[in-house]
Structures are given as structure tokens and as C-alpha cells.
């Protein structure tokens, strides 16, 4: 079935996602605050709407791909997106936002007579362009079933993780694994360097031993062993350090809200926040190896052997 889809937020992720839906034959009414994003979307077959509200008023499904929870909640409520839509419209928020904000967005949508699904993504801009994203969805079975045909255009895999907010919960848990494991891999390389071990030797062992993980074998933080990794391309993102810092910040918020302390998750959030504010601002998240190496060397005793 061809849906009329309102797509709000046509940035680095939303732009190609909206274009893929249009290419698949859906009528897509797109809106963004940035005129250049509107022009790019129009060239890609998206109908540019006059406003987010006018797009939502015509749609069966409203997809949002916005920077943070405050943008989603402000648009839904204060700016009147929920009020502008036809009763029973499905609101699918693909942004990465706080679990608490996702649950609030669900509640607001349902209170306004609509249906809602949180469906954050993994796969980055390349995945958005190629239509190979992974979706993590939270909401009811019926809502997930309604969104599934659209998600299958935009991605190669979708997992229904549970009720409202479960998609965001899965997203931040996954990225907490990723952030911690990138730090672990980076620290292992720094220790190996101090022990005179070559990067290639450590890679050859760990990549086929129990240290194997995505941060090592796909996004290896040191140049050499994995030719396609950002480390071999000046640490150009890839997955930008500020986005990792954002996601770990969301994980930290959820940890604090739940009154639990995972220790490494909170420490990873601190390390990435500091890195992203400094030299990591324009780098892939694997560039944190430099900050960790500097910190390790600064901590060495003056009569160290290196
Ligand atoms: P982006 O900044 O490129 O795009 C966000 C867009 O939202 C901007 O174009 C902005 O103008 C628009 N916007 C903000 N408020 C709006 C409003 N009220 N009405 C209409 N448009 C509005 O960000 P992005 O990289 O596309 O990321 C979007 C979301 O996807 C974020 O939540 C991010 O965490 C998540 N995400 C990004 C990546 C990635 O690699 N970039 C990967 C996975 C998830």
C-alpha cells in the first residue's frame, strides 16, 4: 500500500531516508527548517511542504528525524503537529532521544487520538543513503505492523523491542556497548605499544581470539590493520565522536533516572563528552585512542621506560 508520509527533519539522515521512501513510490511530503535541505529533498523526489503542520495534515504516517527529544516534544505539542494531524495518524519518531522523552512523546500522541512508535536507527548516513539501516522499535504490535512496510524500504532489519520507549532503550544500550568497547580496544593498543607489541600483531591475535569485536575488526582505532577504518583516513567520520557522546549522555541520563550505576557506562560518557568537546569535535569516535594514549602517557612516572 502506498502511504502518504510526512517526513519532518531532512538533515543528514532524514534527507536520504525521505528520498528512499519517495523512490519506492510513496508520496512523501517533506519539511525542514533549513532551505538547502528542502531543495535537496525536492531534487530527490520529495514534495516540499509549506510547513510541518501542513505536511502532517495530509499524512497517514508522520516520520520525524530530529536532533533531540526537546525538538520532538516541542514540535509534537507546542508547535501543534499532533493537533494538525488527522485522528489516528501514526507518528514514527526515528530520532535518537531520551527514553523518558520517547515515552512522553508516545503519551502525547495517544492523548491526541493518534498512534505512536519510537524507531531509532543504527547504520549512519551511509546506511540511510543505501536503505540498509537497522531499526529498533518501541510501541504496540499494530503500530509496528503498520510501520513495517516503510521501515523495510529504509532498512535491512527491524526489531520490535517492546512497548513505548523500548526502541530508544535498545539503541542506547547498544551504543553503550560500542562506546565502552571502543575505549577497551583503544586502551589495549596503548598498552600493547608500551609493551613493544606491534598494532598488526595485536590485531592478528585479538581479531581471532576472545577480544574480537566490531570496534576492533571493523572500526579499528589505529591505522594499518583494517584498511577501510576511519583511522586510515585521517579519522574522518564514520560515526562522529559528538554523536557517540550524545548517545552515551542519553545512556547516562537513563542510568541516573533509574538510580543505577554501571560504572563503565558513566565513565565512557565522561570520556566521550570531553573528547567530543575538544579535538574529537570533527573526528570519528575511534579517534579517542589519541586522548587515551595522551592520558596514559601523562600518568606515566618520570622514569618510565618509554
Ligand atoms: P541533522 O542535524 O543533520 O538533521 C536534523 C534536521 O532536523 C536538521 O536539518 C534540522 O534543520 C531539522 N529540524 C530541527 N528542528 C526542526 C523542526 N522543528 N522542524 C523541521 N525540521 C527541524 O542530524 P542527523 O545526523 O540527520 O541526525 C538526526 C537524528 O538521527 C539524531 O537524533 C541523531 O542522533 C540520529 N542518528 C544520527 C546518525 C548519524 O550518523 N548522523 C546515526 C544514527 C542516528
Amino acid at each position: 500500500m502506498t502511504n502518504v508520509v510526512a517526513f519532518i527533519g531532512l538533515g543528514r539522515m532524514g534527507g536520504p531516508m525521505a528520498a528512499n521512501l519517495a523512490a519506492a513510490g510513496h508520496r512523501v511530503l517533506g519539511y525542514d527548517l533549513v532551505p538547502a535541505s528542502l531543495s535537496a529533498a525536492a531534487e530527490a523526489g520529495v514534495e516540499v511542504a509549506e510547513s510541518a503542520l501542513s505536511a502532517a495534515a495530509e499524512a497517514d504516517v508522520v516520520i520525524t528525524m530530529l536532533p533531540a527529544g526537546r525538538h520532538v516534544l516541542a514540535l509534537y505539542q507546542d508547535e501543534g503537529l499532533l493537533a494538525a494531524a488527522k485522528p489516528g495518524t501514526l507518528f514514527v519518531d526515528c530520532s535518537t532521544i531520551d527514553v523518558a522523552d520517547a515515552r512522553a512523546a508516545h503519551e502525547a500522541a495517544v492523548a491526541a487520538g493518534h498512534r505512536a512508535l519510537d524507531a531509532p536507527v543504527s547504520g549512519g548516513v551511509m546506511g540511510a543513503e543505501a536503505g540498509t539501516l537497522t531499526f529498533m522499535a518501541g510501541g504496540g504490535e499494530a503500530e509496528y505492523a503498520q510501520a513495517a512496510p516503510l521501515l523495510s524500504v529504509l532498512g535491512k532489519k527491524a526489531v520490535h523491542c517492546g512497548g513505548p520507549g523500548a526502541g530508544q532503550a535498545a539503541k542506547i544500550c547498544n551504543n553503550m556497548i560500542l562506546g565502552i568497547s571502543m575505549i577497551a580496544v583503544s586502551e589495549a593498543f596503548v598498552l600493547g605499544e608500551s609493551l613493544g607489541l606491534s598494532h598488526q600483531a595485536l590485531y592478528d591475535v585479538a581479531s581471532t581470539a576472545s577480544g574480537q569485536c566490531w570496534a576492533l575488526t571493523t572500526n579499528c582505532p589505529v591505522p594499518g590493520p583494517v584498511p577501510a577504518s576511519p583511522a586510515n583516513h585521517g579519522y574522518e567520520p564514520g560515526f562522529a565522536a559528538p554523536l557517540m557522546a550524545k548517545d552515551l549522555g542519553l545512556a547516562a541520563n537513563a542510568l541516573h533516572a533509574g538510580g543505577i550505576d554501571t560504572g563503565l557506562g558513566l565513565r565512557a560518557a565522561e570520556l566521550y563528552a570531553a573528547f567530543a568537546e575538544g579535538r574529537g569535535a570533527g573526528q570519528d569516535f575511534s579517534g579517542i585512542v589519541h586522548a587515551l594514549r595522551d592520558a596514559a602517557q601523562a600518568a606515566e612516572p618520570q622514569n618510565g621506560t618509554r
Side-chain angles (χ1 to χ4, degrees), residues 8-14 31-34 37 65-67 71 75 79 95-96 121 124-125 171 243 246:
I8 318 299
L10 302 169
R12 280 168 293 183
M13 296 292 291
Y31 185 72
D32 196 288
L33 299 175
V34 176
S37 299
M65 195 54 169
L66 301 172
H71 301 96
L75 184 61
E79 296 168 35
S95 328
T96 302
V121 305
V125 175
K171 167 83 183 172
L243 287 175
K246 173 194 166 180

Side-chain angles (χ1 to χ4, degrees), residues 52-298:
L53 273 55
S54 69
E58 284 196 59
D60 308 306
V61 179
V62 177
I63 300 179
T64 39
M65 195 54 169
L66 301 172
R70 65 180 184 282
H71 301 96
V72 176
L73 290 173
L75 184 61
Y76 273 24
Q77 297 175 297
D78 309 339
E79 296 168 35
L81 196 72
L82 296 176
K86 291 178 289 191
T89 298
L90 176 65
F91 281 77
V92 181
D93 181 37
C94 294
S95 328
T96 302
I97 68 174
D98 255 319
V99 175
D101 287 343
R103 291 183 178 148
H106 270 262
E107 279 176 24
V110 170
H114 302 304
R115 320 172 85 187
L117 196 73
D118 52 290
V121 305
S122 154
V125 175
M126 283 171 62
E129 289 170 350
T132 56
L133 294 169
T134 295
F135 285 89
M136 296 141 257
E141 290 285 353
E143 287 77 2
Y144 179 69
Q146 187 182 349
L150 297 174
L151 304 187
S152 71
V153 169
L154 300 171
K156 64 176 180 355
K157 185 173 174 68
V159 179
H160 186 199
C161 300
Q168 298 293 349
K171 167 83 183 172
I172 61 172
C173 289
N174 178 71
N175 280 19
M176 193 171 84
I177 296 172
L178 179 59
I180 292 171
S181 60
M182 180 55 79
I183 291 168
V185 168
S186 298
E187 288 196 344
F189 276 112
V190 170
L191 174 59
E193 289 164 8
S194 79
L195 296 171
L197 192 59
S198 75
H199 291 161
Q200 191 66 48
L202 176 55
Y203 178 85
D204 288 346
V205 171
S207 63
T208 53
S210 45
Q212 192 276 334
C213 62
W214 190 92
L216 176 70
T217 57
T218 300
N219 219 79
C220 186
V222 294
V226 179
S229 79
N232 290 300
H233 302 95
Y235 292 90
E236 283 282 315
F239 184 43
L243 287 175
M244 175 53 86
K246 173 194 166 180
D247 292 355
L248 287 170
L250 296 177
N253 290 349
L255 288 165
H256 291 312
I260 57 170
D261 179 355
T262 61
L264 290 183
L266 294 177
R267 182 72 184 126
E270 287 170 5
L271 288 170
Y272 267 104
F275 178 58
E277 276 168 22
R279 66 203 280 188
Q283 287 189 7
D284 184 76
F285 81 117
S286 58
I288 199 163
V289 68
H290 301 298
L292 295 170
R293 185 184 289 117
D294 289 353
Q297 289 173 347

